[in-house]
Each structure stands twice: as structure tokens, then as C-alpha cells.
Amino acid sequence: MLAGIVLVLAASVGAAWLHEMRPQSVVRPAAQTAGTRAEKPQPPALTADEERFATALWAVHREATRSAVAMSFAGIAYQTENRDARALARSIEPLAKFFHDAEIEVRTMSPPPSLSKTHGQYVEALALYANAAAEMLKFIEDGDSQRLDVAHRLDVRASEDMLRVGEVLWPGQYKPH
């Protein structure tokens, strides 16, 4: 037993000695490394017209984001909890109306020329959300579960479009999904 203890101690000392003798990596202070990292270039500041458009769109975006999350949760709750089509309809109907109305409202906004592509992306995102809600409501009517798959794909595409717009107009914004 004593031989075993001596052997374990010798192995531990040997491992510690090897650890201490290995080449050390050079660690630079954070102040030195900060300048060497490739920093993500900051987008240019918005012009006054772009800022006005972003502010007007934010009023819709704030509610659109909340509604998109609510629609996703309604679908998840239906699939995982209750399978109650009437409860799903009660959740989705006001969201479908919101997305339809929001699409019309945003479509009528006049963006500055520099944001016309961004505006188009946002209108398309709202249309995708409206179509996703419509697919969910059609599912409630006909029971075709493939409609929920279609709605999910539309929802994901809409979310991606909204995130792209958000990176242009509100960089660093909290991403809800």
C-alpha cells in the first residue's frame, strides 16, 4: 500500500513538473488586443428623413413584434397543450386583422429613397405574417395540418425579414425570436 501511495505521489509530481515546463503562451493585456481585432464597421447614422421614417415605422414595429410572438405562442400552445381549435381561432383572429391592417398602413408610408428597399422588405414581412395567420385560420376551418406547416414557414421568413429591416433601422435592437 505504501508503494502505491509513493507511486501516486511521484506521478502527481511528474505531471505538475511537465505542466510547469511546457511553453507558456503570451497573454497580452486587453488594451493591446482591442486594437488588433477586426471590429464590425458601424453603419452610417440615419439622415433626418430616414430617422423620421424609422420613428414612424417603430410605432407599427413595436406592435408587430409583440403580435408575431403572440401568434407563435398561440400555435405552440395549440400543438402542445390543448388542441382547442376555437381557442386558437380566438387568439389568431385579432392578430390576422392586425397584420392585414398594419401591412396597409406601412404600404402607404413614404420612405426616403435610400430606404425604399427596406420599406419593401417590411411590407413583405407583414404580408407574410398576414398570410401565416390566414393559413392558421384555414386550418381551423378544414383541419388540414399541412396549413400549420405552411404558416410556420411563412412566420419564419417574416421574422427573418423583420430582423434584416431592424438591423438597418434599429441596429442592436432586442431580437425577440
Side-chain angles (χ1 to χ4, degrees):
M1 183 170 193
L2 182 60
I5 292 173
V6 169
L7 189 61
V8 169
L9 285 174
S12 297
V13 168
W17 181 77
L18 286 174
H19 177 75
E20 290 299 318
M21 296 310 292
R22 70 184 164 92
Q24 297 288 322
S25 62
V26 178
V27 178
R28 287 192 242 159
Q32 289 179 348
T33 60
T36 61
R37 289 188 191 138
E39 292 185 20
K40 185 177 178 181
Q42 293 295 318
L46 297 177
T47 65
D49 285 343
E50 291 169 339
E51 188 67 39
R52 276 190 288 280
F53 175 74
T55 300
L57 189 58
W58 181 258
V60 175
H61 181 68
R62 187 177 51 238
E63 184 62 24
T65 302
R66 188 201 65 73
S67 296
V69 171
M71 187 164 65
S72 294
F73 280 136
I76 291 168
Y78 174 81
Q79 290 283 27
T80 61
E81 293 174 9
N82 57 22
R83 298 275 181 178
D84 182 352
R86 281 184 265 176
L88 180 61
R90 284 190 303 273
S91 297
I92 297 301
E93 286 168 349
L95 300 172
K97 179 177 177 4
F98 167 78
F99 285 120
H100 173 74
D101 294 348
E103 178 190 352
I104 292 169
E105 179 183 350
V106 172
R107 195 176 292 278
T108 64
M109 290 180 175
S110 298
S114 59
L115 293 177
S116 62
K117 179 182 175 191
T118 301
H119 176 251
Q121 278 183 304
Y122 203 87
V123 169
E124 177 64 21
L126 291 172
L128 289 168
Y129 278 130
N131 291 338
E135 284 295 318
M136 292 174 85
L137 292 173
K138 288 176 188 173
F139 160 75
I140 293 164
E141 291 174 11
D142 66 17
D144 182 358
S145 63
Q146 288 184 345
R147 292 190 184 280
L148 293 178
D149 293 336
V150 170
H152 175 70
R153 285 192 301 274
L154 292 169
D155 181 77
V156 169
R157 282 184 39 214
S159 295
E160 291 169 350
D161 284 351
M162 275 195 160
L163 289 172
R164 283 187 205 98
V165 169
E167 284 302 312
V168 171
L169 297 177
W170 313 289
Q173 167 204 2
Y174 167 71
K175 313 290 189 282
H177 43 287

